[in-house]
Amino acid sequence: MKTLKLFLVFAFAIFAANVSAQQKKYVMVIHGGAGTILKKNMTPEKEAEYVKVLTEALKAGYAKIKDGKTSLDAVEATIHVLENDPHFNAGKGAVFTHDGRNEMDAAIMEGETLMAGAVAGVTTVKNPISAARAVMEKSEHVMMVGAGADLFAKDAGLEIVDPKYFWTKERWDGLQQAIKEDSTKAVLDHGSKKSELLGSKNHDYKFGTVGCVALDKAGNLAAGTSTGGMTNKKYGRVGDAPIIGSGTYCNNETAGISCTGWGEFYIRNVVAKTISDLMEYKGLSVDAASKIAIEKVGKMGGDGGLIALDKKGNMSMPFNTEGMYRGAITADGKIEVSIYK
Ligand code: ASP
C-alpha cells in the first residue's frame, strides 16, 4: 500500500511538471511588423541587429513588470525602444507620405477599464505612443488627429521634435522607389503579397509597424501599436493601428491585441475586436480566435499578422506573410525572439 502511495505521489509530480512546462505563462509579446521578410534577403549582421533591438525592447517592458509597475508602463517603455530605433516603421524610421512628410499613428488601451487613447497623423511628437497615452489619461477623448493632436501632446508636456528628426535615408529612398513604380499607390514598407501582385519591387523588408501587449503582476493587460503607416500614403490616410478595435484592442476578460499589415483590411474586418468577441461570446481560446481573424484577412486579399495575449498568459502570434518580427517573454524572464515562419 505504502509503495502504491509513493508511486502515485511520484507520478503526480511528473504529471504536474509536464503540465506547467506545456503551459508557459507569458507576460509580454511584441511585434515589429509582418511582411516579405525572407532569410535569403537577410545578412547575419542585419538579423543580429533585429534580434538585439527586439530583445532590448522586451527587457525594457519586463523591467517595469518585475518592478510591479502597470502593464501600460510596460507597453509604453517597450514601444519607446522600438520607436527610437530606425529599424522599425514607427517614430524615428517612420515611412514617408507622398508629400515627403512623416505622419504617425498610435493607440494604447487598458484591459481593466477599457480606457483607450489614440493619435493619428502626428508629425512632431517624438514618441507617438506617449501621445496616445496622454489622450487616454489627460483628456476626455479617445482619438485626436493632425495638428490638434500635436498641440495636445506639447501641452501635455511630451517631447516635441523638429519633423526633420524622423528623416531617414532608407525611408526617403523607399518613397522615391514607390513613386517611380506607381505614384498613386501606397505600399507597405516591408512588402506584401499584394504589392508583389501589383508588380511592386518595393520590398523593403527591413522595417515594420510595432506593437506590444503586456500583463502585469496585478493581472491587468494593456496593448499598444505605433506606426508610420504606409509609404506614399496621401490625403491624410489613416491606417488600422490607431483605430480601437481594428489594429489595437484590450480587454482583461479576453485579450490584448496589436496588429500589423495592410491596414485597410484590418479596418474592414475590425480584426482586434473580432478576436475579443470570438473569445467573449464563443468561448474560443486566444490562439483559435486569432487564427480565425487572420484567415479572414487573408481570404479578403489582405496580408499581415498580429500578437495577442490573454490574462492567463497564453499568447498567439499568427501571420500570413513570409515573416513577422516578433518576441515574447515569460513570467520568469525567458526571452523568445523569431523573424521567419
Ligand atoms: N498596419 C499599418 C497601416 O496600415 C502598416 C503596418 O502594419 O506596417 O498603417
Side-chain angles (χ1 to χ4, degrees):
M1 193 60 191
K2 204 173 169 192
T3 335
L4 180 66
K5 255 192 197 164
L6 255 176
F7 170 75
L8 284 177
V9 168
F10 189 61
F12 180 75
I14 290 178
F15 170 71
N18 269 336
V19 168
S20 75
Q22 278 161 16
Q23 295 172 341
K24 264 192 249 175
K25 184 181 170 178
Y26 291 91
V27 290
M28 222 167 70
V29 285
I30 61 171
H31 71 77
T36 313
I37 309 165
L38 295 164
K39 198 167 173 72
K40 68 172 171 58
N41 294 334
M42 189 82 88
T43 61
E45 293 76 32
K46 274 273 166 254
E47 196 176 290
E49 284 173 26
Y50 279 102
V51 171
K52 185 168 171 270
V53 189
L54 291 167
T55 305
E56 258 171 42
L58 282 167
K59 282 186 178 163
Y62 185 72
K64 298 278 177 199
I65 292 169
K66 244 189 124 191
D67 234 26
K69 300 270 177 9
T70 65
S71 48
L72 272 180
D73 290 335
V75 167
E76 193 181 15
T78 302
I79 292 188
H80 277 184
V81 173
L82 300 169
E83 283 179 336
N84 295 345
D85 190 294
H87 284 87
F88 301 97
N89 173 19
K92 177 89 187 162
V95 297
F96 283 95
T97 64
H98 183 72
D99 300 334
R101 286 150 54 87
N102 303 103
E103 293 179 357
M104 293 155 287
D105 306 334
I108 198 160
M109 185 162 180
E110 192 176 52
E112 186 192 10
T113 57
L114 301 189
M115 291 295 283
V119 290
V122 292
T123 57
T124 61
V125 196
K126 186 180 178 212
N127 293 108
I129 195 69
S130 296
R133 184 171 180 178
V135 171
M136 177 176 93
E137 291 179 335
K138 298 181 179 168
S139 88
E140 55 185 337
H141 307 301
V142 171
M143 192 173 196
M144 295 187 192
V145 305
D150 275 305
L151 180 62
F152 174 78
K154 187 172 175 240
D155 288 349
L158 297 182
E159 188 172 349
I160 299 300
V161 291
D162 188 298
K164 280 197 210 92
Y165 163 81
F166 299 106
W167 195 95
T168 57
K169 183 170 183 327
E170 286 88 342
R171 294 315 203 177
W172 185 253
D173 292 348
L175 174 66
Q176 305 317 314
Q177 174 78 13
I179 290 176
K180 209 165 84 191
E181 284 177 15
D182 185 344
S183 69
T184 65
K185 294 239 156 34
V187 289
L188 278 178
D189 63 289
H190 37 254
S192 76
K193 274 182 216 136
K194 191 146 181 174
S195 57
E196 279 167 47
L197 289 175
L198 291 168
S200 172
K201 290 176 200 69
N202 192 299
H203 302 155
D204 189 347
Y205 51 85
K206 291 185 290 184
F207 304 94
T209 287
V210 306
C212 172
V213 186
L215 173 61
D216 61 28
K217 281 188 181 164
N220 291 318
L221 289 164
T225 314
S226 182
T227 185
M230 288 167 81
T231 303
N232 201 29
K233 63 184 183 181
K234 290 187 185 131
Y235 309 119
R237 179 261 185 193
V238 173
D240 59 313
I243 299 182
I244 299 302
S246 289
T248 309
Y249 194 72
C250 191
N251 182 345
N252 269 4
E253 300 309 315
T254 54
I257 300 126
S258 169
C259 304
T260 172
W262 198 279
E264 279 68 13
F265 291 90
Y266 284 75
I267 295 172
R268 290 195 277 138
N269 278 295
V270 200
V271 170
K273 178 67 158 62
T274 296
I275 294 169
S276 176
D277 285 350
L278 285 171
M279 295 176 72
E280 186 169 359
Y281 304 123
K282 293 278 183 196
L284 264 60
S285 71
V286 67
D287 194 43
S290 300
K291 283 178 178 155
I292 287 174
I294 282 296
E295 208 174 296
K296 186 78 192 298
V297 166
K299 274 193 187 140
M300 280 177 67
D303 44 18
L306 63 88
I307 52 168
L309 179 69
D310 75 11
K311 200 178 177 169
K312 290 190 182 130
N314 301 305
M315 62 98 158
S316 182
M317 295 182 160
F319 52 96
N320 65 13
T321 50
E322 277 77 10
M324 177 165 83
Y325 299 109
R326 59 199 187 278
I329 188 160
T330 59
D332 52 9
K334 195 175 160 295
I335 288 177
E336 296 168 15
V337 170
S338 315
I339 299 177
Y340 318 103
K341 247 182 197 148

